Amino acid sequence: MQRLVTVLNDESVTQYLSTKIPSPYTQEDVRLWIEEGSNSPLVKAICFNGVLVGFIGVNRGEFEYQKSGEIGITQEAVLKNAIFKNDQFYDNHIFAKLK
């Protein structure tokens, strides 16, 4: 649990993540994530040599986007200055899985 707190309090990591993630990130946030947020079959832990290095997940689309999600493996587009966080603009990278 401490590893996740450490990673999600690293600004070089969180600058690219959703503002849904609390800042600062606490042990209580980890507990909530384990009990509620990770209860989807579309969320998986990523480990390297037995050490947690991250998570990957898919947020299902709704309505006409119900057959799509927010994850992919090939870069499709970059929306310049699309995200405003911590008084700074960031680019939004859009990905799609091609079949």
Side-chain angles (χ1 to χ4, degrees), residues 4 6 24 28 31 35 44 55 75 83 86:
L4 189 54
T6 300
E28 178 65 13
R31 186 188 65 72
E35 292 177 1
K44 303 294 180 190
F55 290 94
Q75 186 171 335
I83 300 167
N86 299 328

Side-chain angles (χ1 to χ4, degrees), residues 4 8-9 13 17 20 22 26 28-29 35-37 41 45 47 49 55 57 63 75 77 85 87 89 93-94 96-97:
L4 189 54
L8 290 177
N9 280 306
V13 172
L17 301 179
K20 293 177 191 175
T26 67
E28 178 65 13
D29 296 318
E35 292 177 1
E36 299 173 22
C47 297
N49 290 335
F55 290 94
F63 306 106
Q75 186 171 335
K85 183 176 173 182
D87 292 25
F89 284 98
H93 297 257
I94 306 296
K97 181 177 181 181

Side-chain angles (χ1 to χ4, degrees), residues 17-86:
L17 301 179
S18 171
T19 56
K20 293 177 191 175
I21 297 171
S23 180
Y25 200 81
T26 67
Q27 292 286 340
E28 178 65 13
D29 296 318
V30 175
R31 186 188 65 72
L32 287 171
W33 166 249
I34 290 170
E35 292 177 1
E36 299 173 22
S38 65
N39 288 333
S40 166
L42 301 175
V43 175
K44 303 294 180 190
I46 301 171
C47 297
F48 180 74
N49 290 335
V51 176
L52 174 70
V53 295
F55 290 94
I56 189 167
V58 175
N59 293 324
R60 289 187 190 268
E62 296 179 340
F63 306 106
E64 64 272 19
Y65 298 104
Q66 65 184 310
K67 301 286 186 181
S68 64
E70 287 186 54
I71 189 172
I73 56 173
T74 55
Q75 186 171 335
E76 290 290 305
V78 176
L79 303 177
K80 295 289 188 182
N81 297 319
I83 300 167
F84 184 75
K85 183 176 173 182
N86 299 328

